[in-house]
Amino acid sequence: MSDPVDAQQVSDLPLDDLVACHECDLLMRKPHLAHGEKAQCPRCGYELYAHRHNVVERSLALVIAALLLYIPANFLPIMQLNLLGQSSEDTVWSGVLGLFNTGMQGVAVVVFLCSMGIPLLKLLCQLAVLLSIRWNVGRSYGLLLYRFYHHMRDWGMLEVYLMGVLVAIVKLADMAAITVGLGLVCFISLLLVQVRLEMVMSPHQIWQALSGEDIHAGD
Ligand SMILES: [Zn+2]
């Protein structure tokens, strides 16, 4: 737990020693954490930040895994549909093209951005930020890209897309023979890798590293 500070103490402390709770705005003295420790808000219990081992290396491995899954997730068939003797295989990309060709260009663009464009941009931003920390080059561009990444976070909606696919499978299951494709397996794996990446890539340590502080990236 961290120590709350009053107004008098705030004016005496350097800003770098203070941290505000994201949930309840309580202002606290920043605790120094050892590896594996977490700081919690004493008022609401929100996790302020954690100090994790090998953040950069583990995050890099996850980003590369996610990028490798990205192509099969989007271009391999999500499902195969057999209805009245006709069979069709659908991928995320063919779904976007299908919407575009049936006159729903606006919806096609939104689906493309939320399910393919922004998730890819997010991963590339994370890769560039991590490489700039790992190789110690272009930290100022890294800061800019990491800010950009935080703005994009709410626009990548893979989980919404997955829910849509699952609802479609359940609804169509009675009407047609559906076979789940390898694309869906890759898509779910991509989602899980990204959830793990969000947990491992501690923003507090990444901001610290980008601003030039030592986060013991190598130990
Ligand atoms: Zn709080």
Side-chain angles (χ1 to χ4, degrees), residues 47-63:
E47 185 184 310
L48 299 169
Y49 55 86
H51 202 94
R52 298 194 170 92
H53 288 283
N54 300 330
V55 167
V56 175
E57 288 77 4
R58 286 165 65 201
S59 305
L60 260 178
L62 288 166
V63 168

Side-chain angles (χ1 to χ4, degrees), residues 9 21 25 29 45 82 84 136 145 148-149 164 169 195 207:
Q9 288 173 300
C21 173
D25 289 337
R29 198 190 298 271
N82 286 300
L84 303 174
N136 200 9
L145 281 174
F148 182 57
Y149 161 76
I169 289 175
V195 169
W207 284 122

Side-chain angles (χ1 to χ4, degrees), residues 21 23-26 41 43-46:
C21 173
E23 293 297 306
C24 71
D25 289 337
L26 181 68
C41 171
R43 184 154 69 183
C44 70
Y46 178 77

Side-chain angles (χ1 to χ4, degrees), residues 108-180:
V109 169
V110 172
V111 171
F112 171 75
L113 286 178
C114 294
S115 63
M116 295 178 75
I118 292 174
L120 180 62
L121 261 181
K122 270 171 59 183
L123 286 173
L124 292 177
C125 272
Q126 284 170 305
L127 181 68
V129 166
L130 291 167
L131 289 179
S132 98
I133 296 171
R134 190 79 186 89
W135 291 335
N136 200 9
V137 286
R139 294 275 172 103
S140 55
Y141 294 110
L143 278 167
L144 196 73
L145 281 174
Y146 200 46
R147 245 177 39 218
F148 182 57
Y149 161 76
H150 279 282
H151 286 301
M152 277 193 306
R153 273 174 79 177
D154 299 333
W155 288 95
M157 299 180 193
L158 288 182
E159 55 281 5
V160 177
Y161 197 93
L162 181 66
M163 285 307 292
V165 171
L166 294 179
V167 168
I169 289 175
V170 171
K171 290 262 182 195
L172 289 170
D174 292 338
M175 296 159 57
I178 291 177
T179 317
V180 170

